[in-house]
Amino acid sequence: MTRPQNKPIVDVLLVEDNLSDVRLTGEAFQEVNASVRLAIAHDGDQALSLLRQQGPHRGAPRPRLILLDLNLPRMSGHEVLAEIKADPELRSIPVIVLTTSDAEIDMRNAGGLQASCYLRKPLDFAALVELVRMVDRSWIRSLEPPLTD
Amino acid sequence: MPGAPEITHPEAARITSTAADRVDILLVDDKVDKLMALEAVLADENVNIVKAQSGMEALRLLLKQDFALVLLDVHMPVMDGFETASMIRQRPRSEHTPIIFMTAVNAGEAHVSRGYSLGAVDYIFAPAVPEVIRAKAAVFIDLFRKTEQVKRQSEWLRSEAERRAALLETRLKRLLNRLDVGVFRTTLEGVLVEANPAFLNLLGLDSLEAAASADLQELHIPLRERPLVLGRHIEDGRVRERDVRLCRTDGTWIWCALSRTVSLGEDGATYVDGLLEDITERKQAEEALRESEQRFRLMADMAPVMIWVAGTEGERTFVNRLWLEFTGADPESTLGLKWLDYVHPDDRERCRDVFRSPIWKGESRRLEYRLRRHDGVYGWVMASIVPRFIESGSFAGYIGSSVDITAHKLAQDVLEQQARELARSNADLQQFAFVASHDLQEPLRMVASFTDLLARRYRGKLDAQADEYIAFAVDGAKRMQRLIHDLLAYSRIGTDRQRSEPCDTGALFDRAVRDLDLAIRESGAEVTRGPLPTVPGDATQLAQVFQNLIGNAVKFRRADPPRVRVDAEMKDDAWLFSVRDNGIGIERRFAERVFEIFQRLHRHDHYTGTGIGLAICKRIVQQHGGRIWVESEPGVGSVFRFTITAR
């Protein structure tokens, strides 16, 4: 819960339509790394305009990491991932796919579309905290500071 | 001799050469000097002069030999010339011998006419000029010679003809004797006149004479039969033929082909000439064929299946009683029609295809199609059809037998329908279980996560009762998660595509022991195994079986540390696995029930579990073509056994 003043804020985009999952993920990051700032997109369109800093998001910081739920209303998570990887500006942002589905087809599609990682949503909070801790260690703390702030 | 056959036979030379032989002339006169004078006149190297001095002597000589000419003196004592001539004429031998009367005086016309009436051919009046006598005699000498020659020739021809006829007859006889066809001749009344040995042999007769005495009633009836009208049949030479059954003298019966024709005999009488040939073997073969055909017909009609025979073009040549009963076809008019007529129009093409296929060579074909019944409704039949070949190997058509399988077919349809419905409802159920458990998992994840979060953030901050409530909620959510997880796993068996690959069950055992490491260490269990085989199957599923069974063996333990042993042995094409423990055991009455889903024997607070584990095991084993059961004694231990097919 501590937030050292000297630690820079890291922007992470969570694409998730389920409000309870948004809340749980937020709580988990609270416990793991308080300097992470979560931006929330409830569907694919919102996520893309946020990433492209369009409309109301003009001037908003570009996220350094994307946590993407595959099961989204309207555009599916796969389509969103394809859009991101097709955009030269966004292509380099790591995407971690979160899903409840075990189905192999999701894993293969995610791999083929260059998701950085595939993670299954844990069944309880303690496991979620462990998972977020792993993400924080592997993907966030290792990030270089942004060139411009 | 105009028209006479030219004689080329060597014999002919001898005949012609006799023409130059001397001929005899008889001179009759009572005066020796006149005889001498005449002899002198007629003397010739080719003429032999015989002299007689009285009519009696002349007649005596004429009895002994033939003369070319008789020169007869009219005036002789005792018997004069006329009397002598009359006698000569009365004898057959000299009936035609030419006679020339000689008389010294001119006796007048009456005298001469008397001589001619007695058969004289000429008159010579003395004294006669020798040249006249010679000329007149020469005519008759020459005539005699020619007559003799003709006589000899005809004699030779007759004997030649006889010789040839004899040769021909011998040849014919020999042929007839050697022929194995009976040749005979009867009178129109049926009396045997001639018969060759074969004929006698056929009837068991020793000789023609025996035929006359033997009681040949049975033979005579066909022989005597006379629809052969005299004359007409001789003209057209028509031959009558028929098969007859004859009784031989030894009492045996034979079949013969009898052919007869009416012909004119050498003696001018009308006869019946006939041939008799033994055809018993042929008849017997025909009889046997007829009998076998009858037998076939009888058997075919008694057979409980439909039987039909078709020609090369599929035209019916035979159908049995049952076929007629099934189709209601008219037995007379149905033959010759195509067998496909009664086949359902939709099935005809399929039936035709079977026959068209080029590999159709000798082996039978099985075919199911619909056949029109007598009531117009189509029934299902199963036909077995085989092509027919005649002895030379050429294709002759088909023989088929058909069984009415309508009832069977209907039952099968119902069964298939039920099986389809069952499969569909099964699939629906599995789909439902999968969807339900999957969708239940989502909200449950929320319940579990937030109660967990609640416990984390507020444990010890509320009162003790609140902590207990939260703990119950967390435990309930966790149990439900396990339940849904197991249910999901259970419903997936059979819906997911099952793999079949070689599975090293020893490795699967090791994996299960690793996964159960915590439980094994906590209980102080000893888990061992014998040699385990590699079997075909789905490794993930089989691993689950080992994990569940070993897990159970460790879980349901008594106070002592559990000892678990896994073994396998080959038994009847399948591997028989056993998982043996020294646990609490299972009462016999529950031995079956433990494999039912949600079936639990113990309270949650004693032994945790969802009651799905063994149901999963049972389903996996069944998917692998095996079965699973338990042998147990409460308080001693259990042996779970299951089989996996080795192929």
Side-chain angles (χ1 to χ4, degrees):
Chain A
M1 291 293 217
T2 53
R3 186 177 169 180
Q5 287 300 306
N6 58 340
K7 236 183 160 192
I9 284 175
V10 180
D11 285 294
V12 171
L13 172 63
L14 174 64
V15 189
E16 173 64 78
D17 68 318
N18 190 332
L19 288 177
S20 22
D21 267 325
V22 170
R23 183 65 187 268
L24 281 172
T25 312
E27 293 287 350
F29 271 107
Q30 276 292 314
E31 290 202 6
V32 172
N33 184 352
S35 52
V36 167
R37 184 165 64 198
L38 276 181
I40 310 298
H42 295 295
D43 60 41
D45 289 331
Q46 243 179 46
L48 288 168
S49 73
L50 199 145
L51 283 166
R52 288 166 180 155
Q53 299 162 321
Q54 291 164 334
H57 310 291
R58 197 177 300 276
R62 179 164 284 176
R64 309 287 302 277
L65 178 71
I66 303 166
L67 299 174
L68 174 66
D69 182 27
L70 277 187
N71 187 18
L72 290 174
R74 301 168 69 192
M75 268 179 106
S76 79
H78 290 304
E79 287 169 311
V80 175
L81 183 58
E83 284 268 336
I84 292 168
K85 290 301 168 187
D87 190 326
E89 297 254 322
L90 309 175
R91 188 181 294 161
S92 57
I93 305 173
V95 178
I96 292 171
V97 170
L98 293 170
T99 182
T100 54
S101 167
D102 274 342
E104 288 184 333
I105 188 73
D106 290 341
M107 261 188 271
R108 231 181 288 132
N109 277 346
L113 292 167
Q114 299 163 322
S116 298
C117 187
Y118 170 89
L119 296 173
R120 194 171 187 282
K121 287 178 184 172
L123 292 176
D124 59 40
F125 186 70
L128 180 64
V129 170
E130 285 310 307
L131 187 125
V132 167
R133 202 184 300 286
M134 187 272 284
V135 169
D136 181 59
R137 201 165 50 233
S138 313
W139 304 95
I140 297 173
R141 290 186 195 273
S142 61
L143 285 175
E144 293 292 318
L147 294 175
T148 55
D149 201 357
Chain B
M1 224 190 180
E6 200 185 339
I7 298 160
T8 53
H9 198 276
E11 196 88 339
R14 199 178 54 75
I15 297 166
T16 44
S17 77
T18 60
D21 286 355
R22 293 160 73 94
V23 300
D24 297 323
I25 295 176
L26 180 60
L27 305 180
V28 188
D29 206 320
D30 57 323
K31 295 161 203 81
V32 177
D33 57 330
K34 278 168 79 182
L35 283 175
M36 301 293 277
L38 262 177
E39 188 178 18
V41 169
L42 294 170
D44 187 288
E45 56 180 14
N46 293 323
V47 176
N48 180 39
I49 308 250
V50 178
K51 290 164 291 200
Q53 286 185 299
S54 68
M56 284 309 286
E57 193 183 351
L59 285 173
R60 215 163 36 238
L61 287 166
L62 277 162
L63 275 177
K64 278 192 268 181
Q65 68 180 107
D66 293 331
F67 291 94
L69 179 65
V70 179
L71 283 170
L72 186 57
D73 183 23
V74 176
H75 296 284
M76 286 188 298
V78 188
M79 183 189 284
D80 71 0
F82 293 128
E83 249 178 296
T84 308
S86 168
M87 295 290 278
I88 290 171
R89 284 287 172 269
Q90 278 169 21
R91 295 175 176 177
R93 183 162 187 171
S94 52
E95 192 180 7
H96 300 293
T97 308
I99 300 169
I100 296 177
F101 283 118
M102 290 182 302
T103 180
V105 291
N106 193 347
E109 286 299 314
H111 193 97
V112 172
S113 66
R114 189 174 171 211
Y116 280 124
S117 74
L118 285 170
V121 292
D122 210 346
Y123 258 92
I124 295 174
F125 299 103
V129 184
E131 282 71 26
V132 172
I133 296 172
R134 265 201 294 272
K136 288 197 174 184
V139 169
F140 292 103
I141 290 165
D142 197 40
L143 181 68
F144 182 80
R145 282 209 174 109
K146 290 218 163 95
T147 307
E148 280 298 299
Q149 192 179 336
V150 166
K151 240 200 249 171
R152 245 172 298 188
Q153 278 181 358
S154 69
E155 182 78 13
W156 181 82
L157 283 174
R158 196 177 52 79
S159 75
E160 182 65 13
E162 276 172 4
R163 193 180 64 85
R164 291 189 184 192
L167 280 174
L168 199 65
E169 199 174 332
T170 310
R171 187 163 152 231
L172 202 64
K173 274 244 160 61
R174 208 176 292 145
L175 284 173
L176 286 176
N177 288 349
R178 294 178 57 181
L179 209 59
D180 59 1
V181 174
V183 180
F184 65 93
R185 168 170 280 189
T186 69
T187 64
L188 289 173
E189 286 72 39
V191 177
L192 264 178
V193 184
E194 281 175 40
N196 71 341
F199 179 88
L200 298 173
N201 204 29
L202 271 179
L203 296 165
L205 295 167
D206 295 333
S207 62
L208 197 56
E209 291 70 41
S213 57
D215 178 16
L216 290 176
Q217 187 66 13
E218 297 295 337
L219 169 66
H220 287 168
I221 289 168
L223 290 189
R224 203 182 305 147
E225 198 190 10
R226 278 200 297 170
L228 304 155
V229 178
L230 196 63
R232 191 155 62 86
H233 288 288
I234 297 177
E235 263 171 51
D236 64 15
R238 228 168 98 202
V239 176
R240 293 280 184 123
E241 289 179 351
R242 69 191 198 104
D243 295 346
V244 291
R245 201 154 168 263
L246 301 177
C247 184
R248 305 178 78 239
T249 51
D250 64 4
T252 56
W253 288 84
I254 53 169
W255 272 103
C256 286
L258 173 67
S259 71
R260 289 160 305 156
T261 185
V262 172
S263 56
L264 214 50
E266 297 83 359
D267 57 358
T270 308
Y271 291 102
V272 175
D273 277 329
L275 298 176
L276 196 66
E277 191 178 357
D278 188 354
I279 54 164
T280 309
E281 270 180 37
R282 197 186 80 202
K283 279 279 175 187
Q284 279 169 348
E286 283 172 5
E287 195 100 336
L289 187 69
R290 210 173 304 121
E291 203 202 310
S292 97
E293 198 150 295
Q294 256 172 4
R295 201 163 47 219
F296 162 74
R297 213 164 268 269
L298 190 69
M299 282 166 64
D301 276 345
M302 276 165 47
V305 296
M306 290 172 260
I307 296 174
W308 48 268
V309 180
T312 50
E313 299 300 315
E315 70 279 10
R316 271 189 292 280
T317 55
F318 171 82
V319 290
N320 74 339
R321 194 177 47 78
L322 208 63
W323 191 92
L324 289 169
E325 280 174 12
F326 187 92
T327 58
D330 174 41
E332 298 300 317
S333 57
T334 196
L335 296 181
L337 300 175
K338 292 289 167 72
W339 75 277
L340 282 173
D341 292 351
Y342 284 88
V343 174
H344 193 285
D346 293 351
D347 294 344
R348 282 180 197 166
E349 200 50 37
R350 203 160 46 80
C351 290
R352 264 191 221 107
D353 283 348
V354 170
F355 293 107
R356 280 202 203 107
S357 80
I359 51 163
W360 177 260
K361 277 252 178 6
E363 84 276 31
S364 73
R365 290 285 165 91
R366 237 154 227 267
L367 201 60
E368 284 182 14
Y369 54 86
R370 282 162 289 178
L371 194 66
R372 199 173 66 232
R373 280 198 323 221
H374 55 89
D375 55 3
V377 178
Y378 282 91
W380 276 98
V381 297
M382 187 179 71
S384 202
I385 302 167
V386 71
R388 261 178 335 124
F389 298 92
I390 54 174
E391 221 162 285
S392 64
S394 61
F395 173 64
Y398 313 95
I399 299 180
S401 61
S402 313
V403 185
D404 184 353
I405 53 163
T406 311
H408 168 80
K409 202 81 179 170
L410 285 175
Q412 193 182 330
D413 280 354
V414 170
L415 263 177
E416 274 171 13
Q417 176 85 8
Q418 284 173 346
R420 269 199 302 276
E421 276 167 18
L422 203 65
R424 198 175 53 231
S425 92
N426 240 349
D428 283 354
L429 217 67
Q430 275 176 6
Q431 185 67 15
F432 171 78
F434 177 77
V435 169
S437 50
H438 183 265
D439 288 1
L440 284 171
Q441 215 166 26
E442 263 311 289
L444 189 60
R445 192 165 59 83
M446 289 307 124
V447 173
S449 295
F450 280 102
T451 48
D452 203 22
L453 186 59
L454 200 62
R456 249 173 129 86
R457 297 276 165 89
Y458 297 99
R459 182 174 292 131
K461 292 184 181 167
L462 305 170
D463 59 18
Q465 222 169 13
D467 282 354
E468 201 182 350
Y469 295 165
I470 290 170
F472 279 132
V474 169
D475 181 57
K478 292 244 163 87
R479 268 219 326 267
M480 185 145 177
Q481 272 181 336
R482 268 203 305 280
L483 201 61
I484 286 173
H485 174 268
D486 287 356
L487 198 59
L488 202 57
Y490 179 78
S491 72
R492 272 195 182 139
I493 305 161
T495 48
D496 283 6
R497 207 177 33 201
Q498 196 185 329
R499 290 195 190 84
S500 184
E501 59 202 0
C503 301
D504 177 359
T505 53
L508 298 181
F509 169 92
D510 296 341
R511 196 205 297 180
V513 169
R514 251 196 327 275
D515 289 350
L516 294 163
D517 182 57
L518 187 67
I520 290 170
R521 270 194 287 121
E522 275 176 3
S523 61
E526 181 191 278
V527 184
T528 59
R529 69 172 176 93
L532 294 180
T534 295
V535 297
D538 185 316
T540 310
Q541 291 187 358
L542 291 179
Q544 177 102 56
V545 174
F546 281 102
Q547 176 145 2
N548 288 359
L549 291 181
I550 297 167
N552 279 351
V554 171
K555 180 163 58 173
F556 297 102
R557 67 173 199 264
R558 284 177 289 150
D560 318 326
R563 282 207 309 280
V564 185
R565 170 82 184 177
V566 178
D567 282 297
E569 59 178 308
M570 189 69 178
K571 205 158 195 182
D572 305 332
D573 290 352
W575 284 101
L576 173 63
F577 290 86
S578 60
V579 180
R580 187 184 302 270
D581 65 48
N582 59 342
I584 56 174
I586 298 164
E587 287 178 61
R588 182 178 287 275
R589 61 196 169 115
F590 298 125
E592 295 273 336
R593 218 190 284 176
V594 289
F595 295 103
E596 288 171 20
I597 193 164
F598 299 133
Q599 186 63 53
R600 306 180 75 258
L601 299 180
H602 309 282
R603 285 166 48 180
H604 278 297
D605 48 351
H606 290 176
Y607 296 100
T608 58
T610 57
I612 300 177
L614 286 176
I616 287 177
C617 289
K618 183 178 179 181
R619 199 144 179 192
I620 290 174
V621 168
Q622 282 176 343
Q623 289 283 319
H624 285 74
R627 59 190 201 92
I628 187 167
W629 67 100
V630 63
E631 293 155 12
S632 184
E633 195 177 328
V636 175
S638 306
V639 188
F640 280 83
R641 295 187 196 279
F642 64 96
T643 59
I644 299 289
T645 51
R647 39 165 189 77

